PDB file of all heavy atoms in Angstrom:
ATOM      1  N   ASN A   1      32.759 106.862  85.241  1.00 88.00           N
ATOM      2  CA  ASN A   1      32.448 105.819  84.256  1.00 88.00           C
ATOM      3  C   ASN A   1      33.687 105.054  83.766  1.00 88.00           C
ATOM      4  O   ASN A   1      33.590 104.229  82.867  1.00 88.00           O
ATOM      5  CB  ASN A   1      31.708 106.418  83.055  1.00 88.00           C
ATOM      6  CG  ASN A   1      32.552 107.454  82.308  1.00 88.00           C
ATOM      7  OD1 ASN A   1      33.606 107.855  82.792  1.00 88.00           O
ATOM      8  ND2 ASN A   1      32.074 107.874  81.146  1.00 88.00           N
ATOM      9  N   HIS A   2      34.839 105.369  84.339  1.00 89.00           N
ATOM     10  CA  HIS A   2      36.061 104.665  83.925  1.00 89.00           C
ATOM     11  C   HIS A   2      36.018 103.233  84.452  1.00 89.00           C
ATOM     12  O   HIS A   2      35.697 103.003  85.618  1.00 89.00           O
ATOM     13  CB  HIS A   2      37.294 105.391  84.457  1.00 89.00           C
ATOM     14  CG  HIS A   2      38.554 105.014  83.730  1.00 89.00           C
ATOM     15  ND1 HIS A   2      38.985 105.669  82.601  1.00 89.00           N
ATOM     16  CD2 HIS A   2      39.460 104.027  83.959  1.00 89.00           C
ATOM     17  CE1 HIS A   2      40.114 105.126  82.172  1.00 89.00           C
ATOM     18  NE2 HIS A   2      40.422 104.119  82.991  1.00 89.00           N
ATOM     19  N   ILE A   3      36.352 102.263  83.601  1.00 91.00           N
ATOM     20  CA  ILE A   3      36.182 100.851  83.964  1.00 91.00           C
ATOM     21  C   ILE A   3      37.277 100.358  84.897  1.00 91.00           C
ATOM     22  O   ILE A   3      37.007  99.728  85.916  1.00 91.00           O
ATOM     23  CB  ILE A   3      36.143  99.960  82.700  1.00 91.00           C
ATOM     24  CG1 ILE A   3      35.049 100.433  81.748  1.00 91.00           C
ATOM     25  CG2 ILE A   3      35.912  98.498  83.073  1.00 91.00           C
ATOM     26  CD1 ILE A   3      35.084  99.760  80.377  1.00 91.00           C
ATOM     27  N   GLN A   4      38.534 100.632  84.553  1.00 94.00           N
ATOM     28  CA  GLN A   4      39.655 100.127  85.344  1.00 94.00           C
ATOM     29  C   GLN A   4      40.072 101.160  86.382  1.00 94.00           C
ATOM     30  O   GLN A   4      40.554 102.240  86.030  1.00 94.00           O
ATOM     31  CB  GLN A   4      40.843  99.814  84.434  1.00 94.00           C
ATOM     32  CG  GLN A   4      40.621  98.617  83.515  1.00 94.00           C
ATOM     33  CD  GLN A   4      41.831  98.378  82.618  1.00 94.00           C
ATOM     34  OE1 GLN A   4      42.062  99.137  81.690  1.00 94.00           O
ATOM     35  NE2 GLN A   4      42.579  97.325  82.888  1.00 94.00           N
ATOM     36  N   LYS A   5      39.914 100.835  87.649  1.00 95.00           N
ATOM     37  CA  LYS A   5      40.307 101.774  88.701  1.00 95.00           C
ATOM     38  C   LYS A   5      40.534 101.026  90.012  1.00 95.00           C
ATOM     39  O   LYS A   5      39.949  99.971  90.256  1.00 95.00           O
ATOM     40  CB  LYS A   5      39.269 102.884  88.867  1.00 95.00           C
ATOM     41  CG  LYS A   5      37.819 102.418  88.998  1.00 95.00           C
ATOM     42  CD  LYS A   5      36.871 103.605  88.848  1.00 95.00           C
ATOM     43  CE  LYS A   5      35.410 103.139  88.827  1.00 95.00           C
ATOM     44  NZ  LYS A   5      34.485 104.255  88.573  1.00 95.00           N
ATOM     45  N   TRP A   6      41.411 101.625  90.832  1.00 97.00           N
ATOM     46  CA  TRP A   6      41.817 101.018  92.089  1.00 97.00           C
ATOM     47  C   TRP A   6      41.888 102.099  93.166  1.00 97.00           C
ATOM     48  O   TRP A   6      42.089 103.284  92.872  1.00 97.00           O
ATOM     49  CB  TRP A   6      43.198 100.368  91.949  1.00 97.00           C
ATOM     50  CG  TRP A   6      43.243  99.209  91.022  1.00 97.00           C
ATOM     51  CD1 TRP A   6      43.141  97.881  91.346  1.00 97.00           C
ATOM     52  CD2 TRP A   6      43.417  99.234  89.594  1.00 97.00           C
ATOM     53  NE1 TRP A   6      43.238  97.095  90.215  1.00 97.00           N
ATOM     54  CE2 TRP A   6      43.400  97.897  89.132  1.00 97.00           C
ATOM     55  CE3 TRP A   6      43.568 100.269  88.656  1.00 97.00           C
ATOM     56  CZ2 TRP A   6      43.554  97.569  87.783  1.00 97.00           C
ATOM     57  CZ3 TRP A   6      43.715  99.953  87.327  1.00 97.00           C
ATOM     58  CH2 TRP A   6      43.707  98.615  86.899  1.00 97.00           C
ATOM     59  N   ASP A   7      41.746 101.677  94.423  1.00 97.00           N
ATOM     60  CA  ASP A   7      41.928 102.602  95.536  1.00 97.00           C
ATOM     61  C   ASP A   7      43.392 102.993  95.657  1.00 97.00           C
ATOM     62  O   ASP A   7      44.293 102.186  95.378  1.00 97.00           O
ATOM     63  CB  ASP A   7      41.485 101.946  96.854  1.00 97.00           C
ATOM     64  CG  ASP A   7      39.972 101.787  96.934  1.00 97.00           C
ATOM     65  OD1 ASP A   7      39.255 102.598  96.319  1.00 97.00           O
ATOM     66  OD2 ASP A   7      39.519 100.845  97.617  1.00 97.00           O
ATOM     67  N   SER A   8      43.628 104.220  96.061  1.00 98.00           N
ATOM     68  CA  SER A   8      44.989 104.687  96.309  1.00 98.00           C
ATOM     69  C   SER A   8      44.933 105.773  97.374  1.00 98.00           C
ATOM     70  O   SER A   8      43.840 106.279  97.685  1.00 98.00           O
ATOM     71  CB  SER A   8      45.596 105.246  95.014  1.00 98.00           C
ATOM     72  OG  SER A   8      45.178 106.587  94.804  1.00 98.00           O
ATOM     73  N   PRO A   9      46.070 106.178  97.921  1.00 97.00           N
ATOM     74  CA  PRO A   9      46.063 107.270  98.914  1.00 97.00           C
ATOM     75  C   PRO A   9      45.588 108.597  98.346  1.00 97.00           C
ATOM     76  O   PRO A   9      45.247 109.501  99.100  1.00 97.00           O
ATOM     77  CB  PRO A   9      47.534 107.366  99.341  1.00 97.00           C
ATOM     78  CG  PRO A   9      48.127 106.034  99.020  1.00 97.00           C
ATOM     79  CD  PRO A   9      47.403 105.567  97.797  1.00 97.00           C
ATOM     80  N   TRP A  10      45.539 108.714  97.004  1.00 97.00           N
ATOM     81  CA  TRP A  10      45.194 109.991  96.375  1.00 97.00           C
ATOM     82  C   TRP A  10      43.812 109.967  95.735  1.00 97.00           C
ATOM     83  O   TRP A  10      43.415 110.914  95.067  1.00 97.00           O
ATOM     84  CB  TRP A  10      46.257 110.316  95.318  1.00 97.00           C
ATOM     85  CG  TRP A  10      47.618 110.027  95.866  1.00 97.00           C
ATOM     86  CD1 TRP A  10      48.298 110.749  96.808  1.00 97.00           C
ATOM     87  CD2 TRP A  10      48.407 108.880  95.574  1.00 97.00           C
ATOM     88  NE1 TRP A  10      49.478 110.128  97.109  1.00 97.00           N
ATOM     89  CE2 TRP A  10      49.583 108.977  96.370  1.00 97.00           C
ATOM     90  CE3 TRP A  10      48.276 107.778  94.734  1.00 97.00           C
ATOM     91  CZ2 TRP A  10      50.595 108.020  96.347  1.00 97.00           C
ATOM     92  CZ3 TRP A  10      49.275 106.816  94.688  1.00 97.00           C
ATOM     93  CH2 TRP A  10      50.415 106.941  95.497  1.00 97.00           C
ATOM     94  N   GLY A  11      43.112 108.867  95.927  1.00 96.00           N
ATOM     95  CA  GLY A  11      41.792 108.727  95.357  1.00 96.00           C
ATOM     96  C   GLY A  11      41.698 107.534  94.429  1.00 96.00           C
ATOM     97  O   GLY A  11      42.711 106.950  94.015  1.00 96.00           O
ATOM     98  N   VAL A  12      40.482 107.149  94.089  1.00 97.00           N
ATOM     99  CA  VAL A  12      40.268 106.004  93.194  1.00 97.00           C
ATOM    100  C   VAL A  12      40.734 106.385  91.794  1.00 97.00           C
ATOM    101  O   VAL A  12      40.354 107.431  91.255  1.00 97.00           O
ATOM    102  CB  VAL A  12      38.777 105.600  93.173  1.00 97.00           C
ATOM    103  CG1 VAL A  12      38.546 104.487  92.159  1.00 97.00           C
ATOM    104  CG2 VAL A  12      38.332 105.168  94.560  1.00 97.00           C
ATOM    105  N   GLY A  13      41.567 105.540  91.204  1.00 96.00           N
ATOM    106  CA  GLY A  13      42.092 105.869  89.892  1.00 96.00           C
ATOM    107  C   GLY A  13      42.896 104.743  89.288  1.00 96.00           C
ATOM    108  O   GLY A  13      42.686 103.569  89.625  1.00 96.00           O
ATOM    109  N   TYR A  14      43.836 105.110  88.430  1.00 96.00           N
ATOM    110  CA  TYR A  14      44.646 104.113  87.734  1.00 96.00           C
ATOM    111  C   TYR A  14      46.014 104.729  87.398  1.00 96.00           C
ATOM    112  O   TYR A  14      46.157 105.961  87.361  1.00 96.00           O
ATOM    113  CB  TYR A  14      43.938 103.619  86.471  1.00 96.00           C
ATOM    114  CG  TYR A  14      43.572 104.700  85.479  1.00 96.00           C
ATOM    115  CD1 TYR A  14      44.389 105.002  84.388  1.00 96.00           C
ATOM    116  CD2 TYR A  14      42.392 105.434  85.628  1.00 96.00           C
ATOM    117  CE1 TYR A  14      44.052 105.981  83.475  1.00 96.00           C
ATOM    118  CE2 TYR A  14      42.042 106.431  84.724  1.00 96.00           C
ATOM    119  CZ  TYR A  14      42.877 106.693  83.645  1.00 96.00           C
ATOM    120  OH  TYR A  14      42.543 107.681  82.746  1.00 96.00           O
ATOM    121  N   PRO A  15      47.015 103.889  87.154  1.00 96.00           N
ATOM    122  CA  PRO A  15      48.356 104.420  86.932  1.00 96.00           C
ATOM    123  C   PRO A  15      48.513 105.053  85.562  1.00 96.00           C
ATOM    124  O   PRO A  15      47.853 104.665  84.597  1.00 96.00           O
ATOM    125  CB  PRO A  15      49.254 103.183  87.052  1.00 96.00           C
ATOM    126  CG  PRO A  15      48.364 102.043  86.687  1.00 96.00           C
ATOM    127  CD  PRO A  15      46.992 102.422  87.179  1.00 96.00           C
ATOM    128  N   GLY A  16      49.407 106.037  85.472  1.00 93.00           N
ATOM    129  CA  GLY A  16      49.841 106.516  84.165  1.00 93.00           C
ATOM    130  C   GLY A  16      50.650 105.427  83.489  1.00 93.00           C
ATOM    131  O   GLY A  16      51.110 104.471  84.122  1.00 93.00           O
ATOM    132  N   TRP A  17      50.842 105.580  82.189  1.00 91.00           N
ATOM    133  CA  TRP A  17      51.549 104.549  81.419  1.00 91.00           C
ATOM    134  C   TRP A  17      53.011 104.423  81.836  1.00 91.00           C
ATOM    135  O   TRP A  17      53.535 103.324  82.020  1.00 91.00           O
ATOM    136  CB  TRP A  17      51.436 104.883  79.932  1.00 91.00           C
ATOM    137  CG  TRP A  17      52.257 104.021  79.018  1.00 91.00           C
ATOM    138  CD1 TRP A  17      52.467 102.666  79.127  1.00 91.00           C
ATOM    139  CD2 TRP A  17      52.964 104.434  77.852  1.00 91.00           C
ATOM    140  NE1 TRP A  17      53.256 102.214  78.102  1.00 91.00           N
ATOM    141  CE2 TRP A  17      53.582 103.294  77.294  1.00 91.00           C
ATOM    142  CE3 TRP A  17      53.127 105.657  77.213  1.00 91.00           C
ATOM    143  CZ2 TRP A  17      54.349 103.339  76.137  1.00 91.00           C
ATOM    144  CZ3 TRP A  17      53.886 105.703  76.054  1.00 91.00           C
ATOM    145  CH2 TRP A  17      54.493 104.558  75.528  1.00 91.00           C
ATOM    146  N   HIS A  18      53.687 105.562  82.016  1.00 96.00           N
ATOM    147  CA  HIS A  18      55.139 105.546  82.197  1.00 96.00           C
ATOM    148  C   HIS A  18      55.563 104.866  83.495  1.00 96.00           C
ATOM    149  O   HIS A  18      56.597 104.214  83.551  1.00 96.00           O
ATOM    150  CB  HIS A  18      55.680 106.973  82.150  1.00 96.00           C
ATOM    151  CG  HIS A  18      55.098 107.774  81.041  1.00 96.00           C
ATOM    152  ND1 HIS A  18      55.304 107.467  79.712  1.00 96.00           N
ATOM    153  CD2 HIS A  18      54.272 108.864  81.059  1.00 96.00           C
ATOM    154  CE1 HIS A  18      54.639 108.333  78.956  1.00 96.00           C
ATOM    155  NE2 HIS A  18      54.009 109.184  79.748  1.00 96.00           N
ATOM    156  N   ILE A  19      54.755 105.009  84.538  1.00 97.00           N
ATOM    157  CA  ILE A  19      55.151 104.523  85.863  1.00 97.00           C
ATOM    158  C   ILE A  19      55.234 103.001  85.917  1.00 97.00           C
ATOM    159  O   ILE A  19      55.990 102.431  86.693  1.00 97.00           O
ATOM    160  CB  ILE A  19      54.181 105.069  86.948  1.00 97.00           C
ATOM    161  CG1 ILE A  19      54.751 104.859  88.345  1.00 97.00           C
ATOM    162  CG2 ILE A  19      52.799 104.439  86.821  1.00 97.00           C
ATOM    163  CD1 ILE A  19      55.980 105.691  88.637  1.00 97.00           C
ATOM    164  N   GLU A  20      54.451 102.308  85.053  1.00 97.00           N
ATOM    165  CA  GLU A  20      54.432 100.844  85.146  1.00 97.00           C
ATOM    166  C   GLU A  20      55.802 100.237  84.877  1.00 97.00           C
ATOM    167  O   GLU A  20      56.224  99.295  85.559  1.00 97.00           O
ATOM    168  CB  GLU A  20      53.398 100.233  84.198  1.00 97.00           C
ATOM    169  CG  GLU A  20      53.759 100.307  82.734  1.00 97.00           C
ATOM    170  CD  GLU A  20      52.739  99.614  81.834  1.00 97.00           C
ATOM    171  OE1 GLU A  20      51.705 100.231  81.512  1.00 97.00           O
ATOM    172  OE2 GLU A  20      52.996  98.472  81.452  1.00 97.00           O
ATOM    173  N   CYS A  21      56.519 100.766  83.870  1.00 98.00           N
ATOM    174  CA  CYS A  21      57.817 100.173  83.543  1.00 98.00           C
ATOM    175  C   CYS A  21      58.823 100.387  84.656  1.00 98.00           C
ATOM    176  O   CYS A  21      59.626  99.487  84.966  1.00 98.00           O
ATOM    177  CB  CYS A  21      58.340 100.744  82.225  1.00 98.00           C
ATOM    178  SG  CYS A  21      57.444 100.129  80.778  1.00 98.00           S
ATOM    179  N   SER A  22      58.798 101.551  85.294  1.00 98.00           N
ATOM    180  CA  SER A  22      59.702 101.799  86.415  1.00 98.00           C
ATOM    181  C   SER A  22      59.397 100.870  87.578  1.00 98.00           C
ATOM    182  O   SER A  22      60.307 100.299  88.195  1.00 98.00           O
ATOM    183  CB  SER A  22      59.606 103.260  86.865  1.00 98.00           C
ATOM    184  OG  SER A  22      60.167 104.125  85.896  1.00 98.00           O
ATOM    185  N   ALA A  23      58.123 100.706  87.890  1.00 98.00           N
ATOM    186  CA  ALA A  23      57.743  99.856  89.023  1.00 98.00           C
ATOM    187  C   ALA A  23      58.039  98.384  88.745  1.00 98.00           C
ATOM    188  O   ALA A  23      58.530  97.656  89.623  1.00 98.00           O
ATOM    189  CB  ALA A  23      56.258 100.052  89.342  1.00 98.00           C
ATOM    190  N   ILE A  24      57.752  97.938  87.527  1.00 98.00           N
ATOM    191  CA  ILE A  24      58.007  96.531  87.171  1.00 98.00           C
ATOM    192  C   ILE A  24      59.511  96.262  87.132  1.00 98.00           C
ATOM    193  O   ILE A  24      59.986  95.233  87.636  1.00 98.00           O
ATOM    194  CB  ILE A  24      57.334  96.190  85.826  1.00 98.00           C
ATOM    195  CG1 ILE A  24      55.811  96.188  85.982  1.00 98.00           C
ATOM    196  CG2 ILE A  24      57.805  94.822  85.304  1.00 98.00           C
ATOM    197  CD1 ILE A  24      55.052  96.115  84.666  1.00 98.00           C
ATOM    198  N   GLY A  25      60.270  97.186  86.547  1.00 98.00           N
ATOM    199  CA  GLY A  25      61.717  97.026  86.527  1.00 98.00           C
ATOM    200  C   GLY A  25      62.289  96.950  87.920  1.00 98.00           C
ATOM    201  O   GLY A  25      63.148  96.107  88.225  1.00 98.00           O
ATOM    202  N   ASN A  26      61.812  97.816  88.808  1.00 98.00           N
ATOM    203  CA  ASN A  26      62.294  97.829  90.188  1.00 98.00           C
ATOM    204  C   ASN A  26      61.948  96.530  90.911  1.00 98.00           C
ATOM    205  O   ASN A  26      62.764  95.995  91.685  1.00 98.00           O
ATOM    206  CB  ASN A  26      61.706  99.035  90.921  1.00 98.00           C
ATOM    207  CG  ASN A  26      62.242  99.182  92.328  1.00 98.00           C
ATOM    208  OD1 ASN A  26      61.624  98.742  93.291  1.00 98.00           O
ATOM    209  ND2 ASN A  26      63.409  99.817  92.450  1.00 98.00           N
ATOM    210  N   LYS A  27      60.761  96.003  90.642  1.00 98.00           N
ATOM    211  CA  LYS A  27      60.333  94.781  91.332  1.00 98.00           C
ATOM    212  C   LYS A  27      61.222  93.594  90.968  1.00 98.00           C
ATOM    213  O   LYS A  27      61.614  92.814  91.850  1.00 98.00           O
ATOM    214  CB  LYS A  27      58.876  94.460  90.977  1.00 98.00           C
ATOM    215  CG  LYS A  27      58.401  93.138  91.576  1.00 98.00           C
ATOM    216  CD  LYS A  27      56.923  92.887  91.333  1.00 98.00           C
ATOM    217  CE  LYS A  27      56.521  91.547  91.984  1.00 98.00           C
ATOM    218  NZ  LYS A  27      55.069  91.304  91.887  1.00 98.00           N
ATOM    219  N   PHE A  28      61.543  93.440  89.693  1.00 98.00           N
ATOM    220  CA  PHE A  28      62.248  92.242  89.245  1.00 98.00           C
ATOM    221  C   PHE A  28      63.758  92.434  89.074  1.00 98.00           C
ATOM    222  O   PHE A  28      64.509  91.453  89.138  1.00 98.00           O
ATOM    223  CB  PHE A  28      61.652  91.746  87.923  1.00 98.00           C
ATOM    224  CG  PHE A  28      60.250  91.232  88.054  1.00 98.00           C
ATOM    225  CD1 PHE A  28      59.174  91.993  87.625  1.00 98.00           C
ATOM    226  CD2 PHE A  28      59.997  89.990  88.622  1.00 98.00           C
ATOM    227  CE1 PHE A  28      57.876  91.522  87.741  1.00 98.00           C
ATOM    228  CE2 PHE A  28      58.701  89.510  88.750  1.00 98.00           C
ATOM    229  CZ  PHE A  28      57.634  90.281  88.313  1.00 98.00           C
ATOM    230  N   LEU A  29      64.204  93.665  88.870  1.00 98.00           N
ATOM    231  CA  LEU A  29      65.622  93.900  88.594  1.00 98.00           C
ATOM    232  C   LEU A  29      66.303  94.768  89.648  1.00 98.00           C
ATOM    233  O   LEU A  29      67.530  94.904  89.628  1.00 98.00           O
ATOM    234  CB  LEU A  29      65.792  94.553  87.215  1.00 98.00           C
ATOM    235  CG  LEU A  29      65.221  93.773  86.025  1.00 98.00           C
ATOM    236  CD1 LEU A  29      65.380  94.575  84.736  1.00 98.00           C
ATOM    237  CD2 LEU A  29      65.880  92.403  85.889  1.00 98.00           C
ATOM    238  N   GLY A  30      65.512  95.364  90.546  1.00 98.00           N
ATOM    239  CA  GLY A  30      66.101  96.194  91.585  1.00 98.00           C
ATOM    240  C   GLY A  30      66.513  97.558  91.058  1.00 98.00           C
ATOM    241  O   GLY A  30      65.912  98.088  90.118  1.00 98.00           O
ATOM    242  N   GLU A  31      67.562  98.120  91.641  1.00 98.00           N
ATOM    243  CA  GLU A  31      67.961  99.496  91.338  1.00 98.00           C
ATOM    244  C   GLU A  31      69.106  99.583  90.340  1.00 98.00           C
ATOM    245  O   GLU A  31      69.708 100.648  90.184  1.00 98.00           O
ATOM    246  CB  GLU A  31      68.319 100.227  92.634  1.00 98.00           C
ATOM    247  CG  GLU A  31      67.128 100.388  93.568  1.00 98.00           C
ATOM    248  CD  GLU A  31      67.419 101.296  94.753  1.00 98.00           C
ATOM    249  OE1 GLU A  31      68.533 101.863  94.809  1.00 98.00           O
ATOM    250  OE2 GLU A  31      66.530 101.437  95.611  1.00 98.00           O
ATOM    251  N   HIS A  32      69.413  98.474  89.657  1.00 98.00           N
ATOM    252  CA  HIS A  32      70.449  98.506  88.623  1.00 98.00           C
ATOM    253  C   HIS A  32      69.972  97.711  87.414  1.00 98.00           C
ATOM    254  O   HIS A  32      69.704  96.508  87.509  1.00 98.00           O
ATOM    255  CB  HIS A  32      71.762  97.915  89.133  1.00 98.00           C
ATOM    256  CG  HIS A  32      72.798  97.777  88.053  1.00 98.00           C
ATOM    257  ND1 HIS A  32      73.570  98.842  87.642  1.00 98.00           N
ATOM    258  CD2 HIS A  32      73.166  96.725  87.277  1.00 98.00           C
ATOM    259  CE1 HIS A  32      74.379  98.438  86.681  1.00 98.00           C
ATOM    260  NE2 HIS A  32      74.148  97.159  86.433  1.00 98.00           N
ATOM    261  N   ILE A  33      69.862  98.379  86.259  1.00 98.00           N
ATOM    262  CA  ILE A  33      69.472  97.736  85.006  1.00 98.00           C
ATOM    263  C   ILE A  33      70.588  97.983  83.999  1.00 98.00           C
ATOM    264  O   ILE A  33      70.965  99.126  83.740  1.00 98.00           O
ATOM    265  CB  ILE A  33      68.130  98.295  84.483  1.00 98.00           C
ATOM    266  CG1 ILE A  33      67.009  98.001  85.493  1.00 98.00           C
ATOM    267  CG2 ILE A  33      67.780  97.703  83.118  1.00 98.00           C
ATOM    268  CD1 ILE A  33      65.670  98.645  85.142  1.00 98.00           C
ATOM    269  N   ASP A  34      71.135  96.905  83.439  1.00 98.00           N
ATOM    270  CA  ASP A  34      72.245  97.032  82.494  1.00 98.00           C
ATOM    271  C   ASP A  34      71.784  97.526  81.128  1.00 98.00           C
ATOM    272  O   ASP A  34      72.430  98.383  80.518  1.00 98.00           O
ATOM    273  CB  ASP A  34      72.951  95.676  82.329  1.00 98.00           C
ATOM    274  CG  ASP A  34      73.565  95.195  83.619  1.00 98.00           C
ATOM    275  OD1 ASP A  34      74.565  95.777  84.053  1.00 98.00           O
ATOM    276  OD2 ASP A  34      73.022  94.231  84.217  1.00 98.00           O
ATOM    277  N   LEU A  35      70.681  96.967  80.641  1.00 98.00           N
ATOM    278  CA  LEU A  35      70.180  97.276  79.300  1.00 98.00           C
ATOM    279  C   LEU A  35      68.685  97.547  79.361  1.00 98.00           C
ATOM    280  O   LEU A  35      67.943  96.771  79.969  1.00 98.00           O
ATOM    281  CB  LEU A  35      70.404  96.091  78.358  1.00 98.00           C
ATOM    282  CG  LEU A  35      71.781  95.858  77.762  1.00 98.00           C
ATOM    283  CD1 LEU A  35      71.797  94.508  77.060  1.00 98.00           C
ATOM    284  CD2 LEU A  35      72.136  96.961  76.784  1.00 98.00           C
ATOM    285  N   HIS A  36      68.258  98.619  78.739  1.00 98.00           N
ATOM    286  CA  HIS A  36      66.819  98.915  78.636  1.00 98.00           C
ATOM    287  C   HIS A  36      66.549  99.308  77.193  1.00 98.00           C
ATOM    288  O   HIS A  36      67.176 100.217  76.652  1.00 98.00           O
ATOM    289  CB  HIS A  36      66.451 100.057  79.567  1.00 98.00           C
ATOM    290  CG  HIS A  36      64.966 100.262  79.751  1.00 98.00           C
ATOM    291  ND1 HIS A  36      64.071 100.267  78.697  1.00 98.00           N
ATOM    292  CD2 HIS A  36      64.219 100.452  80.869  1.00 98.00           C
ATOM    293  CE1 HIS A  36      62.851 100.464  79.158  1.00 98.00           C
ATOM    294  NE2 HIS A  36      62.904 100.582  80.465  1.00 98.00           N
ATOM    295  N   GLY A  37      65.607  98.618  76.553  1.00 98.00           N
ATOM    296  CA  GLY A  37      65.339  98.865  75.152  1.00 98.00           C
ATOM    297  C   GLY A  37      63.876  99.086  74.839  1.00 98.00           C
ATOM    298  O   GLY A  37      62.993  98.807  75.653  1.00 98.00           O
ATOM    299  N   GLY A  38      63.656  99.579  73.618  1.00 98.00           N
ATOM    300  CA  GLY A  38      62.304  99.783  73.124  1.00 98.00           C
ATOM    301  C   GLY A  38      62.351 100.502  71.787  1.00 98.00           C
ATOM    302  O   GLY A  38      63.434 100.789  71.254  1.00 98.00           O
ATOM    303  N   GLY A  39      61.190 100.785  71.246  1.00 97.00           N
ATOM    304  CA  GLY A  39      61.099 101.461  69.962  1.00 97.00           C
ATOM    305  C   GLY A  39      61.560 102.900  70.039  1.00 97.00           C
ATOM    306  O   GLY A  39      61.510 103.533  71.103  1.00 97.00           O
ATOM    307  N   ILE A  40      61.985 103.436  68.905  1.00 96.00           N
ATOM    308  CA  ILE A  40      62.477 104.809  68.845  1.00 96.00           C
ATOM    309  C   ILE A  40      61.405 105.801  69.275  1.00 96.00           C
ATOM    310  O   ILE A  40      61.711 106.893  69.773  1.00 96.00           O
ATOM    311  CB  ILE A  40      62.987 105.133  67.413  1.00 96.00           C
ATOM    312  CG1 ILE A  40      63.794 106.426  67.385  1.00 96.00           C
ATOM    313  CG2 ILE A  40      61.838 105.169  66.407  1.00 96.00           C
ATOM    314  CD1 ILE A  40      65.121 106.351  68.062  1.00 96.00           C
TER     315      ILE A  40
END
């Protein structure tokens, strides 16, 4: 009954929260990030 889901090699599902920032950072900034910020 989960609304948001996608096919993957491990089954139909969705990403955990933490992985999105790593993947997005890698896509646009590559393997070197000078500054990374956020709330405490």
Side-chain angles (χ1 to χ4, degrees):
N1 62 350
H2 199 89
I3 304 171
Q4 291 179 287
K5 50 192 174 185
W6 294 264
D7 289 331
S8 82
W10 316 287
V12 175
Y14 57 96
W17 172 39
H18 315 296
I19 193 68
E20 71 177 82
C21 287
S22 290
I24 291 169
N26 184 264
K27 175 175 181 175
F28 293 104
L29 302 176
E31 295 189 4
H32 173 81
I33 298 174
D34 297 289
L35 281 171
H36 192 314
I40 193 70

